[in-house]
Amino acid sequence: AQTVTQSQPEMSVQEAETVTLSCTYDTSESDYYLFWYKQPPSRQMILVIRQEAYKQQNATENRFSVNFQKAAKSFSLKISDSQLGDAAMYFCACPSGNTGKLIFGQGTTLQVKP
Amino acid sequence: DTAVSQTPKYLVTQMGNDKSIKCEQNLGHDTMYWYKQDSKKFLKIMFSYNNKELIINETVPNRFSPKSPDKAHLNLHINSLELGDSAVYFCASSQRSGSTIDTQYFGPGTRLTVL
C-alpha cells in the first residue's frame, strides 16, 4: 500500500531561522507530483509548494523550498527566515495510483518562537 | 472569489440525525473529492467524483452518500449520525480525474460535532 511518512510530530524554530520538515513516501508511479500543504489554526488547507517528480530541479516558492531525492523517495520542506505566521501543521502528500487520491502524512506541527 | 467553498463551516447535531454538507468550486475543474480529518488530524479520502460520476468510494459506511448534481457541486449527506462521525470534512477539486500530476485545491472544511 502506498504510504507517506512524516517522522517529526512536532518541530520548533526561532523566528528568522531556518527549519526543515521531513517526509518520505512510497509510490510505484513513474510520473507524479508531491505536495506540501499548510494547515493553520483556521484549519484551511493551503498549498505551500509542489514538486514535479520528473524534474530534477528542486521547487522553490519564496521562503519555501524542497529537497527532493527521488531515488530515496524523500521530499523535505525547508522554510527560511521563519515568520510567526508560519506556525501551523504541515502535511506532505503524494497521489496514489490511477485514482489521483492524495495520501497524506501524519503531519508536523511547527511552532515559531519570537 | 472563493475557489472551493463549503457550507456550513460548523455543524453541531445530535446522534441519529441526518445532515448534509455542500461544496461548490468555481475553478472549472472536472473532479471533486471529500476527505475526512479525524481528531488526530489524519486526513483520508472518502469519495471522488469526475463530472458527476463516482470514481472513488473508500470503504465508507453507506450512511454516507455523496451526490454531484453537476461538476461544480459535490454534496455529502450523512444519515443516522454517530459519535464517531465527528470530524472535519474537506471538499477538494482538481482539473482531472485519476491523475498523479494534478493539484488538488481544498475548501475551508466543515467541522461536524455529533453529541
Side-chain angles (χ1 to χ4, degrees):
Chain A
Q2 193 148 350
T3 58
V4 177
T5 302
Q6 294 177 249
S7 58
Q8 306 152 316
E10 294 179 352
M11 292 285 284
S12 180
V13 64
Q14 207 70 33
E15 197 175 4
E17 298 290 306
T18 296
V19 65
T20 299
L21 309 184
S22 301
C23 174
T24 58
Y25 64 95
D26 186 21
T27 182
S28 56
E29 301 296 324
S30 58
D31 194 12
Y32 51 92
Y33 286 177
L34 294 165
F35 305 93
W36 279 99
Y37 286 90
K38 169 185 177 181
Q39 187 177 39
S42 66
R43 82 165 176 263
Q44 174 78 50
M45 291 289 287
I46 301 165
L47 178 67
V48 175
I49 196 167
R50 74 179 187 189
Q51 172 74 43
E52 299 171 48
Y54 62 89
K55 286 190 175 179
Q56 291 188 338
Q57 186 173 6
N58 289 326
T60 299
E61 288 285 343
N62 301 314
R63 297 182 294 108
F64 298 87
S65 61
V66 302
N67 183 2
F68 175 50
Q69 305 286 331
K70 190 172 183 180
K73 293 185 177 175
S74 169
F75 179 57
S76 60
L77 175 68
K78 186 170 88 171
I79 306 174
S80 304
D81 185 25
S82 296
Q83 300 176 0
L84 295 177
D86 295 333
M89 196 157 190
Y90 288 81
F91 292 93
C92 174
C94 177
S96 171
N98 60 3
T99 63
K101 68 182 182 183
L102 285 179
I103 305 297
F104 285 87
Q106 305 91 323
T108 297
T109 299
L110 177 66
Q111 182 185 24
V112 181
K113 297 179 179 177
Chain B
D1 283 341
T2 303
V4 183
S5 59
Q6 293 179 231
T7 53
K9 290 190 176 175
Y10 297 93
L11 189 51
V12 181
T13 188
Q14 299 288 329
M15 277 177 54
N17 284 350
D18 303 338
K19 290 293 178 185
S20 292
I21 305 171
K22 295 185 176 183
C23 179
E24 177 181 0
Q25 55 94 4
N26 62 6
L27 296 167
H29 288 168
D30 286 342
T31 307
M32 297 182 73
Y33 309 80
W34 280 112
Y35 287 85
K36 179 180 179 180
Q37 185 175 41
D38 63 22
S39 58
K40 295 183 179 179
K41 303 288 190 178
F42 186 66
L43 274 151
K44 189 175 179 184
I45 186 76
M46 299 175 69
F47 302 102
S48 80
Y49 269 76
N50 182 60
N51 201 11
K52 303 192 294 178
E53 179 185 354
L54 181 65
I55 302 298
I56 299 173
N57 184 343
E58 285 277 314
T59 59
V60 176
N62 57 17
R63 298 182 296 103
F64 289 79
S65 53
K67 283 192 171 51
S68 181
D70 56 61
K71 72 175 190 178
H73 296 84
L74 180 61
N75 304 323
L76 183 64
H77 188 75
I78 315 170
N79 290 326
S80 304
L81 278 155
E82 300 177 357
L83 292 177
D85 297 332
S86 295
V88 178
Y89 293 85
F90 284 99
C91 177
S93 73
S94 67
Q95 185 68 54
R96 295 159 290 188
S97 172
S99 173
T100 57
I101 54 170
D102 207 355
T103 300
Q104 292 184 25
Y105 297 91
F106 284 77
T110 296
R111 179 178 293 281
L112 171 65
T113 303
V114 182
L115 304 174

